[in-house]
Amino acid sequence: MSYIASIKSRVIRYPSGGDNKWMHPVSDSVGYGYLKSDIDTLLARGIIDTALWLDRAVEVNKEISLNPDSARYIDRLINLVDYMDSVNGFAPKVIFVANVTMSQWMPDIYNVWEENLAAVRYLLDNGVVVGGIEMGNEHYDDPSLFETFDDYWDHILPLLDSLHDDPALNQIPISLTAAPEPDAAEAFGYSATVVTRFKEWNADLRSYADSIPVNGLFDAFTVHIYQTPRMLQPCYELYGDDYYDIPPDYDVPFVVADTNLYASWRCATDSFENFTNNWLQYIFTHYTLADDSTYRLGTGKKYWITEWGEKPTTDNTSGAPPTLVGNFNNTFAEAVYNMEFLLNMTELYGAGSTPLDIQYATKHNTLSGFTYGLISHYSNLDVTDDWYYKRASYYPFVIDENLFSTSYKRVDCQAVSLSGTYVPYVKGFFNYGNELFYMPFVNSSDEDVYFDIHNMTGDTTALGGGSLTPSSSYGSYIKYIVADQLYSHGGDNQYMRDNAYYEDTTITPLIDSIYIDTVSTSSPDTLLVLPAYSLGWVKWQVSPNPEREVVKGPDLNITAWPNPAGSIVHFVTDRIVEEDEKYVVQIYSITGAIVKVIPLTQDEVTWHCSDAAKGLYIYQVVKDKQIIGSGKIVVQ
């Protein structure tokens, strides 16, 4: 659970059952809730074939072996939420994905509302905040299950009515999943039949969204946005015959002389940047475009982006060599894509520069056996073997966990680069309450980029302020990861699978550290370096500068800021803190009552103090029950 908790997700998504999963959210069986009686019935009725089930049975047996105590997955979810609350100081909301398939396949055995309502109530009764309910998953993609959207609507309507009529449940937001944006699908070569189905599905979804009174039965459109192999076709073509000649342990120097390697790297990062900067905007502009096309979704509902990523495929429909499909999964190039996608979420607009109300943006299943989750493993929540990996896509989430605090506002900024011609990818954010300037960056070039902090500019006019120059005599922080190889990764990727070097070998992830540095900005000549092939953020304060409390320990210095504090206090260490070091921060009221105990298991933890009474607080830094230092914090 510590791996998942370290992502500090505000929202996690619970897939209670979907296409070809045959699950039950509150079943007493282990794993995800597979029942042998269901499988026998589905096989007998020809709904699933034997070969498909035998393939799925491998996963089921693995899940059972990983849960020898027969703990239900929904109970493990509750345990995870409680654990995240104890470690991070806040409990994530849960998006519950309703199971609407079993009642469609076997209506004589199941109904669509009973189990789903029982699961939602069970979560609520156990203290879980259900932040939303998705009505099933990607059912637009399976005409054998629901021939049309109307069929799907008629099937879920009893569940929608049940939720709407229950006073204990009718405040939970509900979302229906839209088909992929048809114009973008057509542009990327999807068949005319598929594009037509996408248009018809979204047209019907929009008609229900606009229809009174049924529009009040749901609140949002769920959309899933993937960069697929067909969008990376030129990248695959760059590999050519030299692909298999690349030694797997080759330490790529990132010079133009390595023509094949450098070209493929450059193409991958350029493709991801193009998708996040251009196609992402195109997709949402076309979802909301006001024209005579009936399949536009509009801006009348909120948007939930609950699945996205760089997704491989198992066939050759993209035209790429099958062995190369998914080759960029779990590489630094994909981490760049994730970083830029997250940052673009903060400034998406629909047609006519209409700001989109994006309520949730979550990665595909946080814990996944697939190559595009954040953490690689099947449904076990604890580390049990060496194949439990933080994937490359994990790191942007950890680095950006502060970005999605509601106190940060997007501002225009420009990094004043002092070296070379490459301009790093940067975004700017400002927190008025704590006077913090925050600049996420991506340097996907082969050169270190130096820029001048004191000549950085930001425009906060839209926030009611003016221009600002972020500079501080108290220093700044830079937090980042660096790729050492072209195929630096977390978990495995296609390159590893194609190469016998990796057979029967447990590979330690090459992206295995998040670095943090403190940089003095007292000199007007101070330059900050963004290392080659890195991504991260730079954060510093602007005038007036709140004081910072520093506790100096025998082997660790801890800075608490801002002080005085408004809604949040950051405790930042001068090195990575390992979990087994047993450092904690204990916060006391002036009367001596313990207010919060926060384990120091990373290089930065936070105390969310917006609900704390105004006044003076004492904090102690403790290691192995020994106080190594203390300080004072004023909450105002």
Side-chain angles (χ1 to χ4, degrees), residues 505-549:
T505 304
T506 300
I507 305 299
T508 301
L510 298 176
I511 299 176
D512 58 2
S513 295
I514 297 178
Y515 302 98
I516 185 167
D517 296 328
T518 302
V519 182
S520 172
T521 56
S522 57
S523 168
D525 299 324
T526 299
L527 301 180
L528 194 68
V529 60
L530 310 182
Y533 295 103
S534 67
L535 58 84
W537 53 247
V538 183
K539 184 161 53 181
W540 61 96
Q541 293 176 284
V542 299
S543 181
N545 296 306
E547 294 182 0
R548 301 180 183 219
E549 287 275 350

Side-chain angles (χ1 to χ4, degrees), residues 272-351:
F272 296 152
E273 185 172 25
N274 176 59
F275 185 86
T276 53
N277 284 345
N278 299 319
W279 277 106
L280 193 65
Q281 186 68 60
Y282 175 93
I283 287 169
F284 276 97
T285 298
H286 282 241
Y287 266 137
T288 62
L289 191 64
D291 61 12
D292 58 359
S293 300
T294 59
Y295 55 86
R296 309 299 185 195
L297 297 180
T299 55
K301 301 285 187 183
K302 299 178 186 294
Y303 280 83
W304 298 0
I305 305 173
T306 58
E307 290 188 20
W308 57 274
E310 200 269 296
K311 188 174 183 179
T313 183
T314 55
D315 58 31
N316 197 26
T317 55
S318 68
T323 53
L324 298 184
V325 168
N327 192 72
F328 292 110
N329 285 101
N330 305 315
T331 66
F332 180 76
E334 191 198 5
V336 168
Y337 164 78
N338 279 268
M339 184 75 166
E340 295 186 7
F341 193 103
L342 281 170
L343 297 177
N344 272 276
M345 289 296 96
T346 65
E347 54 179 327
L348 276 181
Y349 290 83

Side-chain angles (χ1 to χ4, degrees), residues 134-201:
E134 281 188 34
M135 287 291 115
N137 200 353
E138 298 172 343
H139 300 311
Y140 60 79
D141 212 22
D142 189 359
S144 65
L145 183 66
F146 298 109
E147 186 175 352
T148 65
F149 182 89
D150 285 337
D151 295 337
Y152 162 74
W153 176 267
D154 290 341
H155 182 69
I156 65 171
L157 187 56
L159 179 54
L160 289 171
D161 285 336
S162 299
L163 290 164
H164 185 265
D165 294 339
D166 190 328
L169 305 178
N170 61 15
Q171 297 303 308
I172 300 175
I174 296 173
S175 178
L176 274 58
T177 303
E181 201 291 308
D183 296 340
E186 186 173 28
F188 281 111
Y190 285 80
S191 71
T193 300
V194 171
V195 172
T196 298
R197 179 169 171 82
F198 290 171
K199 288 182 177 180
E200 291 174 347
W201 185 277

Side-chain angles (χ1 to χ4, degrees), residues 122-140:
Y122 186 77
L123 292 172
L124 294 174
D125 290 344
N126 283 275
V128 173
V129 177
V130 179
I133 299 174
E134 281 188 34
M135 287 291 115
N137 200 353
E138 298 172 343
H139 300 311
Y140 60 79

